Structures are given as structure tokens and as C-alpha cells.
Amino acid sequence: MNKHALIVGVTGITGSNLAENLPAEDGWTVSGLSRSRSPIAGVKTLICDLVDANSVRTALTEARPSHVFITAWSRQETETKNCEVNGAIVRNVLDALQGRGVEHVALTTGTKHYLGPFESYAKTQPETPFREEQERLPGENFYYVQEDEIFAAAARDGFTWSIHRPHTLIGYAVGNAMNMAATLAVYASICRETGRPFVFPGSPEQWQAATDVTDARLLAKHLKWAATTKSAANLAFNVVNGEVFRWKWLWPRLANYFGLEAAPYSGVPTPLEEQMGGAGPIWDEMVKKFDLQPNALSRVASFWHSDADLGRQIETFNDMGRSRKLGFLDYQDTTSSFTDAFDRLRADRIIP
């Protein structure tokens, strides 16, 4: 049976990995909504501004997707604005597709479902491991608003849905705010070039506590699985690699990849935004020296986002029991999640 996927945010870390995981030989055709064109062969990009309902409606005039994957978000200054803008992204797409025969809609959110938005991030300690049936936190959270938009449209139009909650995303992407792999690769490359110590920038709690991450390739497999598995319909899922680790174990392994020694951890956070505050000119010189793609430091690294993840003062990891019980058994080695992404960043001359 032929399936037509519409990926909202097709050039992001989730959307691009999903597009690569929906091959034509498996019966998929892929369209994507984005501000810029997808470089992935076979993807038809529909250029639009997702926040502008008219722009979305115009871009989707001819679209009749069977499956919609919403993987986009737009960071705003306050959570109130986050709710307004990111709720509108979901609503604009689903309103434009009303009556077009959509069968399934998948929404990617994340672990802030359990931790709260950036304004009140990790101020409470939900019970770990996080489980999908845990109640929503009080207060505003744009993930909840996006979910509610999905639920309302599903009740109106009759499609099935799935909600996917990855933890920290690891994978290949450039110009993406949520990409810790690229951020740490840039940080390590600058440390190697300048001789500065490769210091874990986060909190003592994150250095010591159990945690997990999500490989973007595994998330793509999970999105496809839930969209095509009847028993997975109308459920929310945590999506993580399946390996629980501690940063004090992983950090030396990342250092080794770059030929560095991991600096002893001082027990005090040293955020990347502070460490790398004046590193733009250093990076520009490295781009010239190593003939890298001409990306500004701010395009390849998102220090603020990695600081938010690594600076938490609570334990954070997720249960995958719901997916396992329904047949999704994929596992991803976490060290390889990082090193595979590093390999690709090097191959594409993003990092030296």
C-alpha cells in the first residue's frame, strides 16, 4: 500500500532523519513543510511559514498525505508565547488538511512533558523513570497545547494519532537548536585547537545521576513504527535508546574520540555559553584553517540548549515499557549515537 508522508519541519534533526527512514521501496512518498529546501533526494519541499495560517494553507493546496509527522517547534521568549506559536503550528497544518483523508498524525514533543518548560525547568522532581501515564504538571507547557490540538483535530477528522517524547536528541543536523552532538563536537574541536581543557560543563547531579538520550535515527524508526502499527494508535510514547548511563562514564569516551583527555570534574557547573562566549573568532579561523563549510559558530552549536540539559539538578531517565510491550524492540548504543554523528559531521566538513 502506498503511503504519503508529510513531515512538518523536514529539515530539522527529527524531520531529516525521518525522511531518510521512509524509502520509496517501502511504498513511501515524502513531502515536507519547511522554510528551506530539504537536501534529501526524493523529498518534495513545500516552502512556507508554519506560524502563518495562510502560508501553510497555500503550501498545502495540492497535498493529500496519508500520514502527517509534526516535528517542528519555534522557540519564543516566554512559555505563554511558546504555547501560542507552537500550538498554532499544529493547528495551521491540521486545519489546512481537514477533509483530505489523513489517516494518522504523529507529534514529537519531549521530556519537558515531565520536567516543565524552560521558565520553570526541572523545578520539581517527577518520579523516575518517567512513564507516559504520569499526570501533566501544573502551569503552561506548549507540549500540552500541541497535544490538545492533535486530540481536537482527531475527534473532528477521525484520524489516529501518536505522541513521541524523546529525551536529548543525538544525531546529524546543522542549524538545529536541539543538537547536542554538534554542540559537543564543536566544543571538543575548539578545546583541541586551543589547548583548553575539555571540562564537563554541567551540574554535579548530571555528572553522577542516571540518564539517557535519544538517537534521532531510533526516533525515526519509532515514528514509522507507531504510524503503521494498529496497536500503537492513540497512545503517547517515551522514545530513548534503551541504555541508561552516567555522564562521568560517557565524557571520557567522547574525549577519546577527539584525541583529548577528559579534564577532572571540579564539581561546579561551567556552562558552555560562558566558556564559549568569545569563541566566534576562534571558530571562524578554524573554518578557514581546516577548509570547513562556512558556518558561523551560532549555526553549528546551540550552547544554551546543551547547558539546559547538562545543568539539571535532578535525575532524568525514561521508561520504554509501553513500546516494548507493543513490539518496538530497537536498541541503540549511546556512545555510537555520538561518534556516528561526529563521523558524519567530519565527513561533511562541519567540524575538523
Side-chain angles (χ1 to χ4, degrees), residues 48-234:
C48 75
D49 178 357
L50 290 170
V51 180
D52 185 330
N54 290 328
S55 177
V56 173
R57 189 179 303 109
T58 300
L60 293 175
T61 299
E62 304 296 330
R64 301 189 69 88
S66 58
H67 296 73
V68 179
F69 299 91
I70 301 175
T71 70
W73 73 292
S74 176
R75 187 192 183 199
Q76 304 298 311
E77 293 183 355
T78 66
E79 193 60 18
T80 297
K81 193 66 175 179
N82 270 328
C83 291
E84 176 186 336
V85 170
N86 291 287
I89 288 174
V90 176
R91 184 169 60 255
N92 291 343
V93 171
L94 298 183
D95 283 355
L97 293 173
Q98 186 176 0
R100 304 279 186 87
V102 173
E103 299 172 15
H104 184 86
V105 175
L107 172 68
T108 301
T109 60
T111 305
K112 287 192 292 296
H113 183 94
Y114 308 108
L115 295 174
F118 289 119
E119 291 176 14
S120 57
Y121 193 50
K123 298 301 184 185
T124 59
Q125 170 62 75
E127 181 179 341
T128 52
F130 301 150
R131 300 179 189 275
E132 296 91 344
E133 64 269 18
Q134 289 174 215
E135 294 184 0
R136 291 178 173 182
L137 298 174
E140 293 181 308
N141 190 320
F142 82 81
Y143 286 169
Y144 305 162
V145 174
Q146 288 187 311
E147 286 187 351
D148 289 342
E149 292 287 351
I150 296 284
F151 302 154
R156 178 191 70 198
D157 298 338
F159 55 74
T160 60
W161 53 265
S162 56
I163 309 295
H164 304 258
R165 300 170 185 161
H167 196 177
T168 302
L169 274 173
I170 307 301
Y172 178 85
V174 179
N176 185 274
M178 301 176 70
N179 191 1
M180 183 183 284
T183 298
L184 294 185
V186 167
Y187 173 51
S189 298
I190 292 174
C191 287
R192 186 180 63 189
E193 180 69 10
T194 61
R196 68 179 69 191
F198 186 58
V199 178
F200 178 73
S203 67
E205 290 84 359
Q206 284 303 297
W207 181 249
Q208 295 282 354
T211 192
D212 50 25
V213 297
T214 304
D215 191 300
R217 298 168 298 184
L218 183 135
L219 174 57
K221 293 176 183 178
H222 194 274
L223 284 159
K224 182 171 72 171
W225 166 79
T228 56
T229 301
K230 288 184 178 180
S231 59
N234 303 331

Side-chain angles (χ1 to χ4, degrees), residues 273-318:
E273 274 203 304
E274 295 178 9
Q275 290 192 54
M276 298 286 102
I282 296 172
W283 179 253
D284 291 341
E285 287 301 314
M286 291 173 62
V287 167
K288 296 176 184 177
K289 177 179 178 179
F290 296 104
D291 191 27
L292 304 179
Q293 290 192 31
N295 292 307
L297 182 61
S298 60
R299 175 166 168 75
V300 290
S302 51
F303 298 123
W304 69 270
H305 195 276
S306 293
D307 282 339
D309 279 343
L310 298 176
R312 298 174 187 144
Q313 297 178 328
I314 62 172
E315 180 180 75
T316 307
F317 65 100
N318 298 266

